[in-house]
Amino acid sequence: MKRILSVLMLLILGLSFCACGGKISAEVPSAPSAEAATAGTIETAQVNSEFTTDNGLIQVSIHTEKAGPLPETMPILRIRPKSISVQMVQQIALAAFGDATLYEYSEELSRAEILERIAAMEKGVTDEAIKANYGEDISDVILEDVRQARMELLEYYRNAYANASGTPSPVPCQWKFWPMEHYVFHDYADADLSYTDDIPYGIQADLRATATVDGIPYQLWASNYEREGFCNHSVSIFLNAPEGLGGFNSEGYNDWIRGLGLCAQEPATEQELNGALAKAAGLLSDMGLGDWQLRAENRIGWDSDNSWLIAVEGQPIYAGYPVVKQDAIKDVDGSPFYGQDYYCESVSLYFSNEGRLIRFEYQGAAEVVEYTEEAVSLMGEEELRQFVSDTMRAWEYSDLFDYTADREMRSFGDLPVDISQCSVDFDSITVGFARKETEGTDYLLVPVISFRGELKVTGIIEGVSKSPMELIMGDDSGEHALLMINLTDGSVI
């Protein structure tokens, strides 16, 4: 029998000296999942709670209207990285591109373009050119190493010119994985010795293709890469920008994007966000990538002044529960969960407001290989309530971010920092799975409850600022799992 998480929310109210009213942030509903629907009825409870830690340093607020099921038992799963097969890539391509023809991705140049490269490289091997790039004080050893590398590239282009055609012709997709180098240097002599049937361990194997749908050019990249202690299999679809536009976000690139009709000057409406969610769910289903918990939001696009797009982020669902994001601001070395946010299974899709696909990223492909425990008993309500209360109330600065007893933050070296204000704002509480490393590149999925929210810290940096400034910046300033509890043993992850 399931204990509904809304009960837990009411218990958490006991954390506060008084429950205060507050504004509930609107959130786009997730796309439905067939597997998630079997987890049981999800009830909702509005929770608004505010309190200060026992030492009075950290302000904590909890506000959410979403509550998922808190079961008495959950399984523990073993998952394993899953290689991307040609059949998987073909199914993904069919879902994304329909009946559009796919061509091999190639760096092939025309003879005229190769002549330009040869002329540039012939100038580039001189002492003057190398010192212009690396500085007049470059050592003789490094200068000769650079010259040798450029001479080898010059020889490549000279051989390429002898075998190149006047104008390259596109080649239909061969649906083969090649060592990554195959796509970096084109084989103009048709004597490519790259192996496609037995690529050795430790070599990144790629399959790359191009397609054009409704006037929008795309690249499709699939990659399998394993080495000792590392494993990541992924598929990406992104815009195939022509050469000569300038760098990303350059004026030329932005003009090209506008010409494709992919720029919106206003954020998407709720109806458009829901439309993107439905389209993302349909694409993932057609791609055969399993069940996902999805959320959509407006994001700034290419031109920050007047460009918007829709971002749909997904977390995989196994046995009816999502694999929660493990991107806590402070990781603890030695923890069995340390660094587990890297290369986890995830999916991201980006759409225009009209629902046209801009980018697709599927990373960390995985599959369940066994249920190591069919049903593990989880913490009881009273035990969990007390643990959450004790943990949050006992928080020090150093529990949430790198802050030492000497008033130093790692981000600012050895400069003393005086904290003016520290606040934690929770807006999501989720029961699901967290990844725990085990033998080789396998992972266990263990039951957890995750409190996600935003950490804000302001303070004065000695010798730098005279008034309080934001101290948690960049990627660390957004939403994170600020508290995650292993429901099988009550440990903080």
Side-chain angles (χ1 to χ4, degrees):
M1 178 180 179
K2 298 183 183 299
R3 300 187 300 273
I4 302 302
L5 189 56
S6 55
V7 175
L8 175 63
M9 297 299 95
L10 296 175
L11 294 173
I12 289 176
L13 288 175
L15 289 169
S16 62
F17 298 120
C18 64
C20 305
K23 183 178 180 181
I24 299 297
S25 299
E27 185 171 324
V28 179
S30 299
S33 161
E35 188 173 357
T38 67
T41 302
I42 295 179
E43 297 185 4
T44 60
Q46 179 173 317
V47 177
N48 290 283
S49 178
E50 296 181 2
F51 64 96
T52 304
T53 53
D54 289 338
N55 59 16
L57 296 177
I58 304 170
Q59 298 170 325
V60 179
S61 66
I62 304 173
H63 60 95
T64 178
E65 59 180 2
K66 295 182 66 177
L70 180 64
E72 293 182 352
T73 62
M74 282 177 64
I76 294 179
L77 314 177
R78 177 186 290 267
I79 62 171
R80 182 166 296 162
K82 179 181 180 181
S83 294
I84 306 294
S85 67
V86 169
Q87 291 72 27
M88 283 182 64
V89 183
Q90 289 175 325
Q91 185 171 353
I92 290 171
L94 179 62
F97 305 137
D99 58 0
T101 302
L102 274 76
Y103 296 95
E104 284 285 302
Y105 172 82
S106 174
E107 291 285 352
E108 183 178 5
L109 303 172
S110 67
R111 301 196 85 194
E113 290 170 325
I114 294 174
L115 276 179
E116 293 178 0
R117 301 284 178 97
I118 291 174
M121 293 306 301
E122 287 176 340
K123 295 178 181 178
V125 298
T126 63
D127 288 1
E128 293 78 12
I130 295 174
K131 289 181 178 180
N133 293 138
Y134 290 88
E136 290 292 332
D137 57 348
I138 185 175
S139 69
D140 291 341
V141 172
I142 295 178
L143 187 145
E144 288 305 318
D145 286 345
V146 174
R147 191 198 320 278
Q148 180 61 33
R150 292 184 176 184
M151 287 295 296
E152 291 176 2
L153 191 56
L154 175 58
E155 184 66 17
Y156 165 77
Y157 284 123
R158 284 172 173 168
N159 291 331
Y161 181 76
N163 297 285
S165 59
T167 302
S169 299
V171 176
C173 182
Q174 299 181 48
W175 300 110
K176 289 183 179 180
F177 277 91
W178 303 82
M180 181 181 63
E181 291 79 4
H182 169 86
Y183 293 101
V184 178
F185 297 105
H186 182 76
D187 174 32
Y188 293 90
D190 292 329
D192 196 330
L193 300 179
S194 298
Y195 18 75
T196 60
D197 296 324
D198 186 20
I199 299 176
Y201 179 82
I203 299 294
Q204 180 173 331
D206 288 357
L207 188 163
R208 304 183 187 180
T210 64
T212 300
V213 180
D214 296 331
I216 302 177
Y218 296 97
Q219 285 191 40
L220 166 68
W221 284 23
S223 180
N224 289 316
Y225 189 19
E226 295 186 27
R227 62 175 189 266
E228 191 67 31
F230 173 90
C231 187
N232 185 41
H233 307 300
S234 60
V235 181
S236 298
I237 296 171
F238 50 93
L239 299 177
N240 188 19
E243 290 189 12
L245 293 181
F248 179 77
N249 211 24
S250 65
E251 183 176 352
Y253 190 90
N254 288 337
D255 287 343
W256 178 69
I257 293 292
R258 293 189 191 97
L260 293 175
L262 298 178
C263 276
Q265 295 186 344
E266 298 291 338
T269 64
E270 184 171 347
Q271 182 178 0
E272 289 170 332
L273 289 171
N274 282 321
L277 274 175
K279 185 160 188 177
L283 276 174
L284 294 174
S285 176
D286 292 343
M287 291 175 176
L289 297 182
D291 293 308
W292 295 84
Q293 179 173 286
L294 303 174
R295 59 179 295 179
E297 64 181 14
N298 283 297
R299 295 266 182 93
I300 297 293
W302 297 271
D303 182 349
S304 59
D305 292 331
N306 61 353
S307 176
W308 292 87
L309 51 78
I310 300 173
V312 178
E313 305 285 348
Q315 296 164 240
I317 292 174
Y318 288 103
Y321 297 94
V323 180
V324 300
K325 296 177 67 175
Q326 292 167 253
D327 52 359
I329 289 179
K330 180 181 177 183
D331 281 318
V332 180
D333 288 306
S335 162
F337 293 87
Y338 177 67
Q340 300 302 301
D341 54 315
Y342 299 118
Y343 305 108
C344 59
E345 187 179 16
S346 62
V347 69
S348 301
L349 302 99
Y350 299 86
F351 298 95
S352 68
N353 287 6
E354 295 76 24
R356 292 200 285 179
L357 181 65
I358 296 173
R359 189 176 181 92
F360 163 82
E361 297 173 354
Y362 174 50
Q363 180 173 274
E367 60 185 343
V368 174
V369 291
E370 68 172 324
Y371 280 58
T372 62
E373 297 280 353
E374 287 290 345
V376 177
S377 296
L378 306 186
M379 296 178 67
E381 289 177 2
E382 291 295 328
E383 182 184 11
L384 182 58
R385 177 185 64 175
Q386 190 63 49
F387 189 80
V388 172
S389 176
D390 292 345
T391 301
M392 288 187 179
R393 285 197 175 281
W395 269 342
E396 304 278 348
Y397 292 151
S398 58
D399 294 309
L400 297 175
F401 56 95
D402 292 290
Y403 187 83
T404 70
D406 298 325
R407 298 188 299 117
E408 294 177 359
M409 288 180 66
R410 185 175 61 184
S411 304
F412 303 103
D414 56 0
L415 295 174
V417 175
D418 286 323
I419 305 297
S420 304
Q421 185 177 21
C422 179
S423 63
V424 174
D425 184 17
F426 290 111
D427 64 1
S428 176
I429 304 174
T430 305
V431 173
F433 292 111
R435 299 164 76 243
K436 180 179 180 180
E437 193 171 3
T438 182
E439 300 88 358
T441 54
D442 286 9
Y443 286 85
L444 296 179
L445 294 182
V446 299
V448 297
I449 183 169
S450 174
F451 294 76
R452 294 187 61 81
E454 187 174 9
L455 172 66
K456 288 188 177 181
V457 183
T458 59
I460 297 174
I461 307 172
E462 191 170 299
V464 175
S465 62
K466 295 183 179 180
S467 58
M469 59 179 287
E470 293 284 345
L471 299 179
I472 303 293
M473 297 173 287
D475 291 341
D476 287 341
S477 62
E479 273 203 354
H480 295 271
L482 296 166
L483 177 61
M484 188 180 294
I485 300 170
N486 186 334
L487 289 171
T488 65
D489 60 15
S491 60
V492 174
I493 298 170

